[in-house]
């Protein structure tokens, strides 16, 4: 059909006008007010008059239960707590970077330095936290950057191999056993670049955080090698009890302790091994956003979170470790025994996640993408 | 009467909607492909790096090709299953037509995720299909080849798409003038010959519409592959999702999406030479 002159001009006008906002798109989107380069003067703690919420918490799904922050609910019955959920550390980071308004955020320790360097969190004055004295020192040190406490550790745990003991001939004792062809089709890995890179590097005897480009290639090739052994990648932690309970998966790697205790409770014969290279360890904790609107309330919420009873509720609910030693008497003794939650030296046998640089983060994700895309 | 001002008023809102909520985001993504990074300061640096990265990355291209094959298989299978259903509805259903049509559509009203998870139950190693094959002695132990494979992705998606493919074909068949078929019989055509020479060619616009209904969304699928695809069923959409959510590499993700978009547009342009697009719109 013939396009008239008017319509041609209109179409051209629309197309041209689209590119103007598209190019300027960067300038108009809300940006954090501090400088993009690592701040030389750290963001100030803004005293707030507002003591009527809502307090906004950027949180993993599953941690919003009131039993984890009961003292705050008791002290402020009229204040609402809004939760915004994320499923990946990268999601929470992107949300804050693009200007999302939160008071508290709950990332895991490998990201803590990135948050501080990008000015997304403000230093925390630990003298304002009544329950601070019980926090395990080695975990608290993780949250210190440039001598200031940016993150309060809260939950910690392991990543290891969950084994279905009745299906395997002998229980594996090393990360390298995941590659054993006798388990073909019955191994499941977590769909996470960081964890898989680290455990593969450990199995090859390489340091994960100082890998040279040749060693990165080695890790990539080793991960491609495991693909015929795999049943599937698991994405959500609730998948693990399903695939292990049904007997389809015999070895699940980078499983967290909650899967172990869930399956034990269901009567499935499983073991949560300690590989000779060491289990991986993670610790996650709370930071106060540099854009927080309700800083005083945020401190009170934090205090409620690290109270002994709240921490015990976490440990009893998910069988993760609690960062506050005063919670130990309140935790189910079976969990303490099964996961050595009271042995301080277990931390030395565990390979804790280290702080990521932007470059490392990109290496870990691009290696994993290459593995997934490989034929 | 279609005066120019009337056309402008009527077309105005939809065009504005399309421009703001579709074309503008596409343009933003196109500009993003040239940015060095997702967040400031890298975001404001102009570079061709991602183009070089994508062109040099053969695994990603291979994955795009394999996803296109999966999408093609899904579309063709959906058409094969949907055509007889549509034919029956148009020519044989009679008074029951509306009822049967509703029965066909109702599964599409349930949650998409529920339907995929239902297939997980059927195809799993301890699932319905496996237990059935075990009980009739066809296999010896729980089969793990059905689930977590590209074929599981195809089977699940064909099931999901059949109602959507049936509708355009049914519509096209409905519009065929029955007197043409009568004339064919009068002139001595056998039933199947009349079908091949009259019904099938006249229903092709509906078939093409059905094909694209399935092919385009399936090419970018990532939910179904992540739930039932396993290791070998990973599709192009999974990697795009990874770039945006995990890798925080929005420029590369935008580039991958636009490559897919451009390829689909080229296909549609080629196809529209064969079948007039206005026929596709007449659903």
């Amino acid at each position: 059909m013939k396009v008239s002159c008017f319509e041609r001009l209109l179409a051209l006008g629309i197309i041209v006008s689209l590119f103007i906002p598209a190019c300027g798109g960067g300038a108009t989107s809300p940006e954090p007010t501090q400088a993009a380069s690592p701040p030389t003067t750290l963001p100030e703690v803004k005293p707030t008059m507002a003591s009527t919420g809502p307090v906004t918490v950027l949180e993993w799904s599953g941690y919003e239960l009131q039993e984890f922050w009961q003292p705050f609910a008791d002290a402020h019955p009229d204040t609402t707590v809004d939760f915004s959920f994320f499923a990946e550390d990268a999601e929470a980071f992107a949300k804050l970077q693009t200007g999302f308004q939160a008071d508290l955020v709950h990332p895991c320790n490998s990201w803590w330095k990135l948050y501080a360097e990008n000015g997304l969190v403000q230093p925390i004055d630990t003298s304002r936290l009544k329950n601070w004295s019980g926090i395990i020192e080695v975990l608290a040190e993780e949250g210190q950057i440039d001598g200031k406490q940016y993150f309060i550790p809260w939950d910690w745990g392991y990543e290891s191999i969950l084994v279905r003991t009745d299906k395997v001939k002998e229980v594996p004792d090393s990360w390298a056993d995941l590659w054993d062809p006798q388990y073909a089709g019955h191994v499941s890995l977590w769909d996470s670049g960081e964890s898989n890179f680290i455990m593969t590097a450990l199995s090859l005897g390489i340091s994960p955080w100082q890998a040279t480009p040749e060693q990165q290639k080695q890790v990539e090739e080793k991960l491609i090698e495991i693909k015929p052994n795999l049943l599937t990648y698991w994405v959500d932690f609730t998948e693990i009890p399903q695939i292990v309970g049904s007997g389809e998966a015999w070895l699940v790697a980078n499983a967290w302790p909650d899967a172990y205790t869930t399956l034990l409770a269901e009567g499935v014969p499983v073991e949560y091994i300690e590989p000779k290279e060491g289990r991986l360890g993670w610790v996650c904790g709370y930071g106060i956003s540099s854009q927080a609107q309700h800083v005083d309330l945020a401190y009170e919420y934090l205090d409620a979170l690290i109270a002994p009873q709240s921490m015990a509720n976490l440990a009893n609910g998910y069988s993760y470790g609690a960062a506050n030693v005063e919670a130990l008497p309140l935790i189910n003794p079976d969990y303490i025994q099964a996961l050595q939650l009271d042995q301080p030296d277990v931390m030395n046998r565990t390979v804790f996640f280290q702080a990521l640089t932007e470059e490392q983060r990109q290496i870990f994700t691009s290696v994993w993408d290459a593995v997934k895309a490989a034929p | 009467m279609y005066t120019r001002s009337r056309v402008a008023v009527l077309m105005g809102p939809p065009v504005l909607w399309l421009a703001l909520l579709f074309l503008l985001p596409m343009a933003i993504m196109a500009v993003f492909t040239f940015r060095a990074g997702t967040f400031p300061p890298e975001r404001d640096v102009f570079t061709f790096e991602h183009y070089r990265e994508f062109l040099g990355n053969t695994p990603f291209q291979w994955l795009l090709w394999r996803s296109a094959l999966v999408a093609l298989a899904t579309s063709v299978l959906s058409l094969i299953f949907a055509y007889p259903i549509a034919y029956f509805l148009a020519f044989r259903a009679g008074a029951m037509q509306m009822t049967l049509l509703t029965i066909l559509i109702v599964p599409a009203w349930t949650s998409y995720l529920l339907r995929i998870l239902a297939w997980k139950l059927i195809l799993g190693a301890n699932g319905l299909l496996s237990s059935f094959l075990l009980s009739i002695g066809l296999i010896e132990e729980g089969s793990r080849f059905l689930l977590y494979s590209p074929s599981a992705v195809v089977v699940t998606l064909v099931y999901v798409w059949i109602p959507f493919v049936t509708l355009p074909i049914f519509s096209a068949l409905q519009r065929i003038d029955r007197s043409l078929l009568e004339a064919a019989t009068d002139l001595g055509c056998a039933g199947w010959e009349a079908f091949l020479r009259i019904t099938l060619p006249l229903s092709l616009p509906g078939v093409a519409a059905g094909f694209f209904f399935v092919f385009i969304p399936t090419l970018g699928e990532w939910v179904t592959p992540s739930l039932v695809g396993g290791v070998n069923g990973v599709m192009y959409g999974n990697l795009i999702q990874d770039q945006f959510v995990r890798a925080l590499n929005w420029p590369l993700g935008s580039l991958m999406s636009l490559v897919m978009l451009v390829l689909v547009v080229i296909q549609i342009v080629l196809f529209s030479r064969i079948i007039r697009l206005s026929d596709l719109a007449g659903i």
Side-chain angles (χ1 to χ4, degrees):
Chain A
M1 82 187 186
K2 276 182 60 164
V3 180
S4 79
C5 196
F6 165 73
E7 279 143 9
R8 252 188 272 251
L9 277 175
L10 187 65
L12 190 64
I14 291 176
I15 293 171
V16 166
S17 66
L18 284 179
F19 276 90
I20 298 170
C23 289
T28 52
S29 64
E31 290 187 28
T33 50
Q34 57 278 355
S37 55
T40 45
T41 55
L42 298 163
E44 274 177 38
V45 175
K46 294 185 271 276
T48 49
M49 298 301 283
S51 55
T52 56
V55 178
T56 311
V57 185
L58 198 49
E59 184 64 282
W60 300 91
S61 162
Y63 287 144
E64 71 279 13
L65 305 173
Q66 200 167 306
E67 62 196 55
F68 300 148
W69 45 278
Q70 191 62 50
F72 182 83
D74 295 334
H76 296 271
D78 297 326
T79 310
T80 42
V81 184
D82 281 335
F83 294 95
S84 178
F85 296 116
F86 59 90
E88 301 266 350
D89 265 309
E91 254 184 80
F93 185 77
K95 256 182 150 156
L96 283 188
Q97 274 277 37
T98 50
F100 181 76
Q101 286 287 344
D103 295 303
L104 289 158
V105 61
H106 188 185
C108 294
N109 71 314
S110 50
W111 286 78
W112 287 354
K113 197 140 168 269
L114 286 171
Y115 275 79
E117 279 170 4
N118 283 284
L120 298 174
V121 283
Q122 52 179 281
I124 297 177
D125 180 6
T126 55
S127 62
R128 289 176 68 168
L129 296 170
K130 292 195 293 294
N131 295 307
W132 176 251
S133 51
I135 297 289
I136 301 172
E137 233 182 86
V138 63
L139 295 178
E141 273 163 27
E142 278 286 325
Q144 279 173 19
I145 297 140
D146 288 337
K148 291 202 164 30
Q149 192 75 39
Y150 279 97
F151 284 95
I152 309 295
W154 194 63
D155 49 322
W156 66 271
Y158 310 106
E159 280 183 17
S160 184
I161 309 179
L162 191 65
V163 180
R164 189 68 201 255
T165 45
D166 58 335
K167 300 272 190 189
V168 298
K169 280 199 217 77
E170 48 171 75
V171 179
D173 65 348
S174 160
W175 288 106
D177 289 330
L178 288 167
W179 278 260
D180 197 332
Q182 63 167 307
Y183 305 124
H186 295 286
V187 179
S188 183
L189 289 186
W190 186 21
D191 190 1
S192 157
E194 192 183 354
S195 293
N196 287 325
F197 189 99
I198 293 171
M199 73 93 172
T200 310
L202 287 179
S203 75
L204 290 171
I206 300 171
S207 160
W209 295 279
Q210 278 89 36
T212 63
E214 297 82 39
Q215 290 174 326
Q216 289 162 25
K217 204 69 185 128
Q218 258 188 295
V219 169
E220 189 182 314
E221 277 157 25
K222 188 92 169 115
L223 274 170
I224 295 176
E225 260 177 54
I226 205 182
K227 283 174 85 164
N229 252 21
L230 294 182
L231 173 73
T232 183
Y233 306 118
W234 64 268
V235 178
D236 177 62
F237 69 97
T238 54
E239 278 179 62
I240 306 180
Q242 284 170 33
I243 52 178
V244 176
S246 70
E248 290 171 293
W250 300 346
L251 269 65
V252 175
N254 297 94
W256 306 322
D258 56 289
Y260 175 50
T261 47
T262 308
L263 284 163
L264 278 181
E266 286 174 20
V268 179
V270 282
E271 203 179 300
Y272 193 58
I273 70 168
E274 194 170 341
K276 51 180 196 263
E277 299 91 351
R279 288 181 182 149
L280 299 185
W282 50 267
V283 53
C284 305
Y286 288 87
I288 301 183
S289 160
S290 47
Q291 305 292 307
Q293 299 283 321
H294 310 97
V295 179
D296 301 319
L297 286 176
Y299 271 99
E300 287 191 53
Y301 188 84
L302 264 183
D303 222 354
L305 281 170
I306 58 176
Q309 186 58 57
S310 310
M311 296 247 64
N313 292 340
L314 163 74
N316 291 329
Y318 290 121
S319 59
Y320 293 154
N324 191 339
V325 291
E326 286 165 24
L328 276 174
L330 301 164
I331 300 176
N332 186 335
D334 295 329
Y335 290 168
I336 298 183
Q337 211 208 18
L339 299 164
Q340 298 107 39
L341 297 180
D342 59 344
Q343 292 173 24
D345 74 326
V346 76
M347 307 242 181
N348 299 329
R349 298 199 312 263
T350 311
V351 180
F352 267 86
F353 279 78
Q354 288 183 20
L356 289 173
T357 61
E358 185 59 33
E359 202 199 314
Q360 277 167 344
R361 192 185 68 74
Q362 284 179 12
I363 291 170
F364 291 168
T365 42
S366 61
V367 163
W368 185 238
D369 278 339
V371 169
K372 284 216 282 196
Chain B
M1 284 226 297
Y2 291 108
T3 59
R4 189 162 284 173
S5 53
R6 226 174 247 196
V7 170
V9 164
L10 285 172
M11 289 262 293
V15 166
L16 199 64
W17 180 272
L18 205 61
L20 274 177
L21 297 178
F22 180 67
L23 294 176
L24 179 59
M26 288 287 140
I28 293 177
M29 276 179 70
V31 170
F32 239 102
T33 60
F34 297 107
R35 296 191 195 275
T38 310
F39 304 112
E42 296 94 15
R43 191 177 65 186
D44 304 313
V45 177
F46 179 91
T47 177
F48 280 113
E49 184 57 43
H50 303 288
Y51 284 85
R52 275 195 289 266
E53 204 182 317
F54 185 79
L55 288 172
N57 194 329
T58 28
F60 278 24
Q61 293 160 17
W62 180 88
L63 198 62
L64 177 57
W65 172 242
R66 207 188 62 191
S67 305
L69 288 178
V70 169
L72 188 67
T74 310
S75 316
V76 168
L77 279 175
S78 307
L79 284 174
I80 292 175
F81 280 114
Y83 201 100
I85 301 174
Y87 188 86
F88 180 84
L89 278 174
F91 288 102
R92 302 268 184 272
M96 296 278 289
Q97 201 179 61
M98 275 301 124
T99 323
L100 289 174
L101 197 58
T102 314
I103 294 176
L104 180 71
I105 301 298
V106 159
W109 293 345
T110 58
S111 156
Y112 175 69
L113 269 184
L114 273 182
R115 280 176 280 156
I116 304 178
L117 291 173
W119 275 99
K120 258 185 123 153
L121 285 176
I122 297 174
L123 294 175
N126 304 326
L128 288 172
L129 190 56
S130 189
S131 314
F132 173 70
L133 292 175
L134 252 179
S135 66
I136 63 171
L138 217 63
I139 53 174
E140 260 130 42
E141 52 157 42
S143 162
R144 48 183 179 80
F145 301 109
L146 297 167
L147 192 55
Y148 303 128
S149 63
S151 24
V153 176
V154 172
V155 163
T156 312
L157 286 174
V158 164
Y159 166 75
V160 168
W161 288 121
I162 284 180
F164 295 91
V165 180
T166 316
L167 286 178
I169 304 178
F170 167 71
S171 200
L173 288 170
Q174 280 274 66
R175 287 204 315 263
I176 293 177
D177 197 347
R178 300 292 186 266
S179 56
L180 289 172
L181 294 166
E182 270 182 43
T185 331
D186 287 345
L187 291 167
C189 241
W192 59 269
E193 220 181 332
F195 171 78
L196 276 179
R197 299 181 71 175
I198 299 174
T199 318
L200 191 58
L202 286 176
S203 67
L204 275 184
V207 170
F211 177 83
F212 281 116
F213 261 32
V214 180
F215 185 80
I216 295 171
T218 309
L219 188 59
E221 256 286 337
W222 62 271
V223 176
T224 309
S226 79
L227 285 172
V228 299
V231 169
N232 296 317
V234 171
M235 281 176 67
Y236 194 65
N238 292 101
L239 282 188
I240 296 180
Q241 195 244 0
D242 271 352
Q243 298 309 322
F244 276 103
V245 176
R246 294 212 186 91
L248 296 183
N249 193 347
W250 295 358
L252 185 60
S254 305
L255 177 59
M256 290 171 74
S257 310
L258 284 177
V259 164
M260 191 172 78
L261 179 69
V262 163
L263 288 176
V264 166
V265 166
I266 292 175
Q267 271 191 318
I268 295 183
V269 164
L270 290 175
F271 225 86
S272 67
R273 307 240 154 190
I274 308 171
I275 295 175
R276 287 196 342 247
L277 268 180
S278 51
D279 277 339
L280 288 182
I283 291 164

